Amino acid sequence: MPKKILLVEDEKDLATAVTYRLNKQGYDVVAACDGEEGFAKAKSEKPDLIILDVMLPKMSGYKICGFLKSDSRYNKIPVI
């Protein structure tokens, strides 16, 4: 079973390029295009890794990271 990566990125071209490259390396990529969607998918998808943009619409990457790291259910997920 491939490792799951959540990519939270609001720039569509960048998200497409990163998703393509990670898929080619055998990862299962789940993408979100804003902070609220990214936070929801982090909780529902339980990824092995989160690649998180800092400047996002609706909720910043800093806020998402803070919420996840303060919750024992998600605080072990590495965030880049």
Side-chain angles (χ1 to χ4, degrees):
M1 177 178 244
K3 297 285 186 176
K4 186 183 296 186
I5 297 175
L6 171 61
L7 173 64
V8 187
E9 173 57 60
D10 60 324
E11 291 185 35
K12 185 177 173 128
D13 291 340
L14 181 56
T16 300
V18 172
T19 298
Y20 174 80
R21 295 294 302 229
L22 291 171
N23 284 151
K24 291 294 259 181
Q25 294 299 314
Y27 295 101
D28 178 20
V29 180
V30 177
C33 61
D34 65 53
E36 287 180 357
E37 181 184 14
F39 184 56
K41 285 188 176 183
K43 294 189 300 182
S44 67
E45 297 287 336
K46 301 206 176 55
D48 298 294
L49 172 71
I50 300 172
I51 300 175
L52 181 60
D53 189 4
V54 174
M55 295 174 55
L56 294 164
K58 300 185 182 178
M59 184 186 302
S60 77
Y62 290 121
K63 192 172 270 191
I64 295 167
C65 190
F67 286 147
L68 293 173
K69 293 304 178 182
S70 67
D71 188 323
S72 63
R73 295 173 291 178
Y74 312 108
N75 66 4
K76 300 287 190 255
I77 300 172
V79 178
I80 298 174

